[in-house]
Amino acid sequence: MMGQRAAVMAAAFLLDMVLGDPHGFPHPVRWMGSFIAGREQTLRNRYPKTDRGEEAAGAMMTVQVLLVTFLCSSGVLFLAGKVHRFLYLAAETVMCCQMLAARSLVTESMKVYRAFREGDVEKARKAVSMIVGRDVEPLSEEGIVKAAVETVAENTSDGVIAPLFYMALGGAPLMFLYKAVNTMDSMVGYKNEKYLWFGRCSAKLDDWANLVPSRIAGVLMVVSAWILGMDGRGAWRIFLRDRYRHKSPNSAQTEAACAGALGVELAGDAWYFGELYKKPAIGDRTRETVKEDIPRANALMYGTAGLMLILCCGILWVI
């Protein structure tokens, strides 16, 4: 069974590299997002408009989303297995492929890179607005590049490494549960007036879910930097120094390793919903961040993902 899971994991990873997330193709994360939005509206109307009421509503939403996600993902595999063993394997491969975001990260971030190569800054600004949650209007050209690099670095962990980690532990259903947690956090995990209490359960759960995989991702990114001929020594130094320079205990793990590997400064102050948020910088500003750092960050992401795949598959085959 473990060898079978390793084979499915490898096939899913390769399928993601080839296909990514085809536009118009049904995607479970979009369904998760729609379900989360629906439950939020319903539960907010049912619970008291107090801090504790909001927190209880958010916790109930979290439970419902996780339960439905597990039942649906497990149910699809159960039915597929009833038909034929190979249909089960094919279904799990496709399901796991859809939970990986490596190819999508490359596709979307390279739109920013190509826009800069064309000399179209506003096109680059629009492209980066599709992959970041911050306000992009105040960003300089370097700020746009940094935003794209930071997105690739941070999502190496929660978009690639963490899904592989949970697939290795529990197959597609656990991978789907992780993605549901991650999606809830991205939708309601904000520390603003609207979501401070409602999103508290989702945000805390996301912190715990990423605690181990984010650190694995950071270490593997350092190793990847060495292998790819980047600044491996700098990646290790900045990883150790700056990996907790973020409000989240996990988000700066890969950002720090990436900043050190590239020799640039990432993070820092950012605008969200018209308000400036003061954030510490990650890395040393040894040079300006340039458009070529976007494909470099993508290479680092793929190198890190490849190492994780080898590690997981090797362990699964052994046990």
Side-chain angles (χ1 to χ4, degrees):
M1 288 295 293
M2 294 299 101
Q4 175 180 295
R5 185 176 297 168
V8 169
M9 180 181 294
F13 184 81
L14 293 174
L15 192 61
D16 175 68
M17 286 186 66
V18 174
L19 297 179
D21 180 17
H23 289 291
F25 193 79
H27 200 290
V29 173
R30 298 189 187 99
W31 298 338
M32 289 177 190
S34 297
F35 184 68
I36 291 166
R39 297 317 300 157
E40 176 188 353
Q41 183 176 1
T42 299
L43 290 168
R44 278 185 182 276
N45 292 332
R46 290 181 180 176
Y47 281 76
K49 306 299 182 184
T50 62
D51 291 347
R52 295 306 174 190
E54 291 278 298
E55 187 174 21
M60 178 58 69
M61 183 202 72
T62 301
V63 171
Q64 291 177 354
V65 170
L66 293 180
L67 181 61
V68 170
T69 299
F70 180 77
L71 290 176
C72 288
S73 58
S74 300
V76 168
L77 291 177
F78 175 78
L79 294 174
K82 284 292 185 180
V83 176
H84 198 281
R85 176 171 173 265
F86 288 110
L87 182 60
Y88 177 98
L89 295 176
E92 187 168 32
T93 299
V94 172
M95 290 169 68
C96 291
C97 169
Q98 291 183 305
M99 295 299 103
L100 295 171
R103 176 63 183 273
S104 294
L105 278 174
V106 172
T107 299
E108 297 304 318
S109 63
M110 289 302 287
K111 289 179 181 178
V112 182
Y113 174 73
R114 285 192 292 272
F116 274 118
R117 289 197 64 179
E118 296 168 5
D120 193 335
V121 177
E122 289 311 308
K123 184 177 179 181
R125 193 185 308 277
K126 183 177 180 180
V128 85
S129 73
M130 305 303 292
I131 57 175
V132 300
R134 73 190 67 179
D135 298 344
V136 298
E137 290 77 12
L139 294 178
S140 63
E141 291 186 30
E142 185 185 13
I144 294 171
V145 174
K146 286 175 63 175
V149 172
E150 289 165 20
T151 297
V152 173
E154 183 176 349
N155 283 282
T156 297
S157 178
D158 57 19
V160 186
I161 303 304
L164 289 173
F165 175 80
Y166 283 106
M167 186 195 171
L169 289 180
L174 192 57
M175 200 180 191
F176 266 62
L177 282 179
Y178 167 76
K179 206 62 180 180
V181 170
N182 195 238
T183 304
M184 282 189 286
D185 180 63
S186 68
M187 292 180 66
V188 305
Y190 298 102
K191 293 183 178 179
N192 55 26
E193 184 177 352
K194 182 178 181 180
Y195 288 115
L196 179 62
W197 291 97
F198 185 86
R200 176 164 292 194
C201 180
S202 298
K204 290 294 183 183
L205 188 58
D206 185 74
D207 284 345
W208 281 105
N210 283 292
L211 197 65
V212 174
S214 66
R215 283 148 183 80
I216 294 174
V219 172
L220 291 181
M221 186 169 282
V222 172
V223 177
S224 178
W226 281 101
I227 294 173
L228 294 173
M230 298 184 190
D231 189 356
R233 188 184 298 274
W236 181 243
R237 178 176 63 85
I238 300 299
F239 171 71
L240 292 178
R241 191 191 75 186
D242 294 353
R243 61 199 181 107
Y244 290 113
R245 288 190 179 181
H246 199 285
K247 288 184 178 181
S248 164
N250 308 311
S251 295
Q253 302 289 326
T254 45
E255 279 193 55
C258 182
L262 299 179
V264 300
E265 181 185 270
L266 299 177
D269 299 347
W271 290 84
Y272 293 89
F273 307 108
E275 183 177 352
L276 178 63
Y277 286 77
K278 295 289 184 178
K279 295 183 177 182
I282 295 173
D284 294 329
R285 188 176 174 80
T286 59
R287 62 174 177 84
E288 186 178 276
T289 311
V290 295
K291 63 179 181 294
E292 285 76 17
D293 288 316
I294 297 175
R296 290 183 191 126
N298 283 322
L300 197 56
M301 179 272 292
Y302 263 132
T304 305
L307 290 173
M308 183 64 174
L309 182 67
I310 292 170
L311 178 64
C312 290
C313 289
I315 292 173
L316 289 172
W317 276 110
V318 168
I319 61 176

